[in-house]
Amino acid sequence: MSSLKPDLRNNPKGVLEQYITTLQSESKIARKQAFQKINYEIFENPLNEGCDFTIIFPEIYAYVLKGFSDPSEGCREMSTFIISNFIEHLPLNDYYLTYILPVIVRRIGCAEIVEDSEEVRLLLIELVHKILLKYKNTQLLTSFFNDFTSILTKTSTDPFPKVKLEACECIILLSNILEREFHLQAESFVKPVLSNFAHQHFRVRVAAIRAIGAIVISGNAKCFELSITPMAEKLFDENTQVRLQVTLEVGNWMMKYKDRYSFWHRMIPLMLTSLSDVMADIRTTATKLWSDIGMQYMEENEEDLKKKLDFLRDVPTHYPDVKRPNFGCRCLVQMNIGKIVPAIGKEMEGWQSDARLRVAQLLCWLVLCAEEGATQHANAIVRILMRGAADEDARVVLEIKRAAELFGYFIVPDTWWPLLEADVDGWPALTVITNILKGSKPELVQGKVMKELCKELADPDRCRVRKAKYQSNLVLVTEALMSLCGRECAPVYEDLFIINFTVYAMPYDDKMQFMALSNLDKLRQLEDCGRTLTSLYDIHIRRVLVDITSDALTWTLLTPDRCLLECVLLNAGSALGRQLHLVAPLVRECLATPQVDAEVRLKVFTALSTLLLRRQTNFAHCDTDKLESFLNIVIEEIIVPNLVWSPGRTAEAIRTAAVACLCSALQEDPQTDGPPQTDPKDQSAEGDANEKKVNLFPSKESLEPVLARVVPLVLSAADDNSALTRQHALRAAAALAALAAARACFTPEILHNMYYVVLKRLDDSSDKVRSFAVRTVRTLFALRPRPYDTVVFGAHVDALYSAMLVHLDDPDEEFRKEMLAALIALSDVDPQLLIKKVKANIHLYRNKAAYESLSSHIENILK
C-alpha cells in the first residue's frame, strides 16, 4: 500500500514541515534551499494553484519572518522574497501587517543599521513600497503609521542610493495615503530627506526634492520653513533635472499648498528665478506654471479684484518688448515686492557670484511684474541697482542693466532722479541712469530732469575725472539722453558738448576718445549746424575757453585745463579764428612764463605750431586785425623771449620748441591738412573755409619789425648746443629769407649777416644740420637782392665759394652730391670768380669728377 503525498490545500503544515525543519539546520546552504522550496511550493508549484493563502500564512509566517534575521544574506533575501509574494497574494487585511511591519522596523527602521546588506535593505524597502501600493485605497495602514515613519525616516538616509530612491517614493505615497496622520508627523521626515539634497547622484537629489514637495503639501508651516531655503539653493544645481524638479514642486506649492497665502513672498522668488534659467525647457515650464498661478489667483480672488479687472487696460503703448504677465501675476508681485526686495539687497552683498546673478535676474522679473507698483520701493531698488552695477561679474552687470531699463519703463523720472542725484559722482549711478533712460518716456525726461542731470554732469569736478569706468559711463549717459530726447535736448546742447568735448580732450584711452568723438558728431546732427564738427565747435568752443581759469603755474601734463587748451588748438579748426582773443592770453600765460612746467610748455608749443601750420583752415574766417594782434603776441611775447639763450637742458628744449614754432609761422605754404573734423572742403555758415589765402605777414610793413627782432635770435640759435635747434634755426633762416624776398625787404645786409653763420654749419657734427646748411645757403643766395653787385660784395662771394668748394671733397658721398648741386645752382652769382677758383686748385682736389662737372657747367654759362 502506497502512501499519499500531503496536499498544500488541505494540509499545508504537512507539506511544508520538512522544509521548516531544515530551516533549523546549521548549514546556510540547506536553509536557503529550504526557503527556496517553501517559495516554490507556495507560489510556483502548478499543483498547488488556487490554494488559500490565508490558511498557509499562519502556518509559515513565523519561520519565514525569523529568516529576516538569518546570518546568511541569501536566506534573508529569500525570506524577504517570500513575504513579498505573500503581500501580493493575500487579501487586504491588517492582520498580516501586524506581524510583518514590526520585523521590518527591527531590520531597517532602528537608530542603528541592523541589516548590513545593501541588497537586502533594498528588498525590504521595496517590500514596504509594495505594502503601501497594495493598501493605498484602504484605511488599514493607519495603525502602522509609526512603523512607516521609523522605516522611512531611517531608510531615506541609507548609504545605498537605490534605498534612498525607494524611501523617497514611499514617503510620497504615504503622504497621499495617510494625509491626516502624515500632517501630524510630517516634520519628522523633513531633515532626513533634506540630507539627500547634497547627494552626488542627481537622481537621488531629484527624488528628495519630489519627497520634500509632498511633505510640504501635506505638512505644516514648520515643514515649509525648513524646506524653502534648501529648495532655493537647488536652483543653483548644475543638473537640469534637479532645477526642473524644484520648479515643478514650487509651482505645485503655489497652486495647492493650503497655507500658500502666508508664504507668497518665499515662493515667488523661486518661481521667478526659474523664468531666467539657462535651459529653455525649465523656462518654458516655469512660464506656464507662473501663468497658471496668476490665473488661479485671479479666480480665487475674483470678488476682491473685480474693480481692478473692470478698469484693466490693454498692454500700455510704452512697454518693454516682452510678453506682459497676466493680471494675477502682477497682483501677486505687487503685494509681496516689499518683502522680497530687502532679501535681494542682502543677497546682492554676498560673495557668491552665481547667487548675485540669480537675484539680479529675479529683480528684472520683479520690476516687470510689479510695474508701477514698484514705485514705493524705488529707493531700495535703486540701491540694489547701483550695487549690482559695480559688481565684478560681467553677467551680473548685464542683468542689472536690464533691470534698470525695465525700471525706467514703469517709474517716472521725478521719482528716480532724486534718488540718484546725490550719487552721480560715482560711475555705478551713471550706469544705472544710462539704462533707466533707455526705458524712460522722452516727454517725462525732458525739462527739469534733463536739465539738472546735464548740469550735474557738466560740472568740472565730474566731467574732468580721468577714470576709465567713470568716463565711459559719462559718455554713455549723454549718448542715451541724446537717443531718447533727440532735438528736444536743445536746452542742454552746450552741457552735452562740454561733457563730451572734455572726455575727448582728456580720454583715458583711444576707445574713450572715439566714443566721445562719436557723441560730438551725434550732437552736431541734432543741432543741424553743418557737415563737420567745426560747425559745432564754432557754436560751443567759446564756453570751453572761458572755463579754462586755473593758473598755468599749477599745470601738469594731466591738468584738465592744459588738455582742453591743447585739444582746442589742435581740433577747433576755423572755429578758433573767432576766439583768438581768448586763446592768446591762455597761450601767453603758459608759454611766456618761465616757471611753468617744462613738459607743459613743450606740449603747448607743439600745439601752437600745429595751429600755425594749419593757418589756411584755422584762420579762414578770422578778422585781419585779430589775427595781426594774435600773431604779434605769439612772436613778440612768446617766441622771441624763448629764443634768448639761457643755460640748462630744459631751456634748450624750450628753445628748440620755440624755433620750431617760428618755422611754422614763417612757412609760406604750410601743410593745411587738419584733423578729420576740419575738412577744408567743408562750408560753414559763413562760406568756404578756403575762400581766401591766409598770410600771416601780408606786407613789407608787417614783416620788417619781425626781421629786426628775429634774425639775430635765429642766427644765435644756429650755434645752439642742440642739433635739433640748429636744424630748426636753419629752416627758420631759409623761411625768413623767402618771406623777405617775397615782400621786397630782403636786403644785402640781412643776407650777409645770415649766410656767414650758415656757412659755419657746413662743418657741423650732425649730418642733418650740414644738409640743412647746404639747402639754406643755397636758398639765401638764390633769393639774393637783385641786382647783386659782385664787385662791391666780392669778398662775400669769394668766402661763399671757397667754403663750398672745400666740401666737394667731403668724405660723405651724399653730402658731396648736395654740395655739387648747390654750387651748380649758385654758379650764376659770379661764374668768372668760381671758374677761376676751380681751375686754380683743381690739381689739389680728390673729387676730380665733381670739379670737372662743375667746370663744364660754368663754361657753358660763360659761352
Side-chain angles (χ1 to χ4, degrees):
M1 183 174 115
S2 60
S3 60
L4 294 174
K5 187 175 180 180
D7 186 359
L8 189 65
R9 293 185 183 84
N10 303 315
N11 186 14
K13 189 169 183 179
V15 174
L16 302 174
E17 184 69 34
Q18 58 179 322
Y19 308 128
I20 294 173
T21 303
T22 308
L23 291 178
Q24 313 303 317
S25 172
E26 294 291 331
S27 171
K28 62 181 180 181
I29 297 176
R31 295 197 302 274
K32 182 176 180 181
Q33 289 175 347
F35 279 121
Q36 290 173 341
K37 291 290 186 179
I38 290 172
N39 184 69
Y40 175 77
E41 289 294 342
I42 299 174
F43 303 109
E44 298 177 7
N45 192 341
L47 298 176
N48 295 327
E49 284 185 9
C51 61
D52 190 352
F53 293 101
T54 59
I55 298 174
I56 299 172
F57 181 79
E59 299 291 340
I60 195 67
Y61 79 87
Y63 305 103
V64 176
L65 291 175
K66 186 179 179 182
F68 276 40
S69 57
D70 194 281
S72 169
E73 182 180 332
C75 294
R76 298 199 300 277
E77 286 183 0
M78 281 308 303
S79 62
T80 305
F81 186 64
I82 291 170
I83 293 298
S84 179
N85 283 334
F86 267 120
I87 291 297
E88 187 176 333
H89 293 89
L90 285 169
L92 296 173
N93 194 325
D94 57 354
Y95 164 76
Y96 311 112
L97 303 182
T98 306
Y99 300 102
I100 297 172
L101 285 175
V103 177
I104 297 175
V105 170
R106 285 197 297 272
R107 298 304 295 173
I108 60 174
C110 296
E112 298 294 331
I113 296 178
V114 176
E115 178 55 66
D116 55 0
S117 170
E118 292 180 342
E119 288 77 8
V120 176
R121 294 202 300 274
L122 179 60
L123 289 174
L124 289 172
I125 193 63
E126 286 175 345
L127 174 59
V128 173
H129 195 177
K130 184 174 286 189
I131 291 171
L132 290 170
L133 288 172
K134 175 100 176 184
Y135 288 83
K136 65 180 179 180
N137 295 321
T138 70
Q139 294 297 318
L140 299 176
L141 297 180
T142 305
S143 57
F144 302 104
F145 186 81
N146 289 337
D147 291 336
F148 286 119
T149 301
S150 299
I151 293 168
L152 296 178
T153 54
K154 182 60 181 176
T155 51
S156 60
T157 62
D158 195 277
F160 191 32
K162 290 184 178 180
V163 174
K164 291 177 182 288
L165 291 172
E166 281 295 323
C168 290
E169 292 297 326
C170 290
I171 290 172
I172 295 170
L173 197 53
L174 184 64
S175 68
N176 293 325
I177 296 171
L178 302 176
E179 292 184 18
R180 179 177 174 277
E181 290 76 9
F182 194 90
H183 175 79
L184 299 174
Q185 293 290 329
E187 193 176 327
S188 60
F189 288 91
V190 175
K191 290 185 179 179
V193 175
L194 287 178
S195 67
N196 296 316
F197 273 35
H199 198 275
Q200 61 181 347
H201 293 176
F202 82 88
R203 289 184 178 85
V204 173
R205 301 198 297 277
V206 170
I209 290 167
R210 291 184 61 235
I212 283 293
I215 292 169
V216 170
I217 287 290
S218 302
N220 53 30
K222 185 66 180 295
C223 296
F224 180 89
E225 293 286 355
L226 292 172
S227 304
I228 189 65
T229 300
M231 288 286 274
E233 291 172 352
K234 286 297 102 184
L235 286 175
F236 295 91
D237 198 282
E238 62 184 10
N239 187 273
T240 303
Q241 295 300 317
V242 174
R243 301 197 304 277
L244 177 60
Q245 195 61 48
V246 171
T247 304
L248 291 170
E249 297 304 328
V250 172
N252 191 44
W253 292 352
M254 295 179 77
M255 298 188 73
K256 297 180 180 178
Y257 184 47
K258 294 177 183 177
D259 201 20
R260 59 185 179 275
Y261 277 69
S262 301
F263 298 107
W264 285 127
H265 66 285
R266 303 291 298 276
M267 295 184 288
I268 288 173
L270 274 67
M271 182 56 62
L272 296 186
T273 300
S274 294
L275 291 173
S276 300
D277 197 274
V278 293
M279 297 302 296
D281 290 346
I282 297 177
R283 294 198 301 272
T284 302
T285 302
T287 301
K288 185 180 185 307
L289 283 171
W290 179 231
S291 178
D292 292 344
I293 291 163
M295 296 302 296
Q296 179 178 298
Y297 180 80
M298 289 171 60
E299 293 171 4
E300 292 173 350
N301 299 273
E302 187 175 357
E303 290 298 322
D304 296 336
L305 300 176
K306 183 171 176 45
K307 289 184 179 179
K308 292 182 179 180
L309 287 169
D310 289 342
F311 294 98
L312 190 64
R313 296 180 301 170
D314 294 331
V315 178
T317 53
H318 184 72
Y319 194 80
D321 188 20
V322 293
K323 183 179 179 181
R324 192 185 193 191
N326 63 49
F327 182 69
C329 295
R330 302 201 301 274
C331 286
L332 276 172
V333 172
Q334 288 169 6
M335 287 192 308
N336 294 277
I337 188 172
K339 297 177 181 178
I340 300 173
V341 167
I344 292 177
K346 291 180 181 178
E347 198 66 43
M348 191 60 77
E349 298 293 336
W351 61 273
Q352 290 182 315
S353 59
D354 286 344
R356 298 197 302 274
L357 172 63
R358 288 304 181 91
V359 295
Q361 294 170 335
L362 170 60
L363 185 61
C364 293
W365 284 106
L366 277 179
V367 173
L368 180 65
C369 293
E371 298 186 355
E372 291 84 357
T375 301
Q376 59 184 328
H377 308 288
N379 187 29
I381 293 174
V382 164
R383 297 301 111 189
I384 295 171
L385 291 174
M386 286 201 294
R387 169 60 185 86
D391 202 279
E392 297 176 355
D393 192 324
R395 300 174 302 164
V396 176
V397 177
L398 182 62
E399 295 300 326
I400 287 294
K401 289 179 178 179
R402 289 182 57 234
E405 184 174 347
L406 292 170
F407 189 78
Y409 274 99
F410 305 115
I411 310 301
V412 297
D414 288 340
T415 298
W416 57 256
W417 169 239
L419 301 175
L420 286 162
E421 183 177 6
D423 295 298
V424 292
D425 288 330
W427 62 266
L430 298 185
T431 301
V432 173
I433 292 173
T434 299
N435 290 279
I436 288 178
L437 287 174
K438 292 179 181 178
S440 298
K441 287 184 178 180
E443 59 271 20
L444 297 179
V445 174
Q446 296 160 11
K448 179 183 176 184
V449 172
M450 180 176 68
K451 291 177 182 177
E452 290 184 0
L453 173 61
C454 289
K455 181 181 178 182
E456 292 289 339
L457 297 183
D459 186 286
D461 290 337
R462 295 190 176 93
C463 66
R464 295 184 180 185
V465 172
R466 195 193 298 264
K467 293 181 180 178
K469 289 185 177 180
Y470 192 86
Q471 276 195 348
S472 62
N473 282 285
L474 200 61
V475 173
L476 291 173
V477 167
T478 55
E479 181 185 5
L481 189 62
M482 288 188 286
S483 297
L484 178 69
C485 298
R487 297 186 187 277
E488 297 302 320
C489 289
V492 293
Y493 278 160
E494 189 166 87
D495 286 336
L496 291 172
F497 176 83
I498 291 298
I499 295 167
N500 287 282
F501 186 81
T502 302
V503 175
Y504 179 60
M506 44 180 296
Y508 178 81
D509 55 24
D510 292 343
K511 180 182 177 183
M512 215 74 71
Q513 189 173 46
F514 180 79
M515 291 168 62
L517 187 62
S518 176
N519 269 6
L520 288 172
D521 191 60
K522 191 169 187 176
L523 181 61
R524 175 193 61 78
Q525 295 175 34
L526 291 180
E527 293 200 42
D528 195 20
C529 54
R531 290 182 298 171
T532 66
L533 286 179
T534 303
S535 55
L536 184 68
Y537 295 151
D538 205 26
I539 299 172
H540 300 296
I541 209 68
R542 174 184 172 80
R543 165 82 181 273
V544 176
L545 293 168
V546 169
D547 285 346
I548 300 177
T549 56
S550 62
D551 190 344
L553 291 173
T554 65
W555 289 5
T556 67
L557 285 181
L558 297 179
T559 301
D561 280 345
R562 186 211 66 79
C563 297
L564 287 168
L565 177 59
E566 181 183 9
C567 191
V568 170
L569 294 177
L570 293 177
N571 298 285
S574 60
L576 198 60
R578 296 185 178 88
Q579 309 300 334
L580 289 181
H581 62 291
L582 296 176
V583 174
L586 296 172
V587 175
R588 176 174 56 198
E589 182 186 1
C590 181
L591 299 180
T593 309
Q595 291 79 16
V596 174
D597 184 80
E599 290 184 324
V600 170
R601 297 174 72 193
L602 288 173
K603 275 282 188 180
V604 177
F605 255 129
T606 303
L608 181 59
S609 298
T610 306
L611 171 69
L612 295 171
L613 277 174
R614 297 171 180 167
R615 68 181 70 126
Q616 298 303 329
T617 298
N618 295 340
F619 305 141
H621 306 302
C622 182
D623 293 339
T624 305
D625 293 341
K626 282 187 177 181
L627 180 58
E628 186 175 340
S629 299
F630 175 73
L631 193 61
N632 184 61
I633 292 173
V634 170
I635 298 294
E636 295 293 333
E637 300 186 42
I638 295 176
I639 294 179
V640 168
N642 284 292
L643 286 177
V644 177
W645 187 90
S646 58
R649 291 191 175 182
T650 299
E652 182 179 288
I654 297 298
R655 284 196 302 278
T656 303
V659 74
C661 187
L662 179 63
C663 289
S664 300
L666 296 174
Q667 289 184 54
E668 185 69 34
D669 294 307
Q671 295 292 323
T672 58
D673 52 325
Q677 65 269 29
T678 55
D679 185 354
K681 295 180 181 179
D682 174 52
Q683 287 190 350
S684 64
E686 297 189 13
D688 193 338
N690 282 333
E691 63 186 8
K692 66 175 183 177
K693 184 173 181 179
V694 176
N695 289 314
L696 297 183
F697 305 98
S699 64
K700 178 179 179 181
E701 292 73 18
S702 63
L703 183 61
E704 282 181 335
V706 175
L707 290 175
R709 290 292 307 276
V710 170
V711 169
L713 293 170
V714 168
L715 296 179
S716 176
D719 197 27
D720 199 89
N721 290 333
S722 168
L724 190 57
T725 303
R726 300 196 298 273
Q727 181 178 318
H728 286 315
L730 293 173
R731 288 177 55 223
L736 280 168
L739 271 175
R743 308 296 185 265
C745 56
F746 190 42
T747 64
E749 290 77 15
I750 297 176
L751 170 62
H752 297 151
N753 287 336
M754 296 176 80
Y755 92 91
Y756 186 70
V757 175
V758 175
L759 283 180
K760 290 181 180 180
R761 293 301 103 211
L762 295 175
D763 295 314
D764 200 275
S765 59
S766 168
D767 290 340
K768 285 188 176 180
V769 174
R770 297 172 71 206
S771 179
F772 269 99
V774 175
R775 297 179 211 172
T776 303
V777 77
R778 178 175 174 175
T779 300
L780 291 175
F781 277 92
L783 297 171
R784 65 191 180 276
R786 309 297 174 95
Y788 186 75
D789 193 336
T790 56
V791 176
V792 176
F793 305 125
H796 294 293
V797 179
D798 185 87
L800 169 69
Y801 286 153
S802 297
M804 295 180 73
L805 286 169
V806 169
H807 288 285
L808 276 181
D809 276 338
D810 195 271
D812 187 340
E813 183 180 352
E814 290 299 321
F815 187 71
R816 291 199 304 268
K817 291 180 180 178
E818 285 188 75
M819 187 58 75
L820 177 60
L823 277 167
I824 291 173
L826 299 181
S827 60
D828 64 336
V829 177
D830 191 344
Q832 294 284 357
L833 177 60
L834 182 56
I835 193 66
K836 179 180 177 182
K837 293 181 75 66
V838 169
K839 291 188 175 181
N841 298 306
I842 196 167
H843 59 283
L844 300 176
Y845 302 132
R846 295 190 302 272
N847 190 2
K848 303 292 185 183
Y851 281 92
E852 289 174 0
S853 176
L854 180 58
S855 299
S856 175
H857 175 76
I858 298 170
E859 288 171 355
N860 288 334
I861 293 176
L862 295 173
K863 286 182 181 179

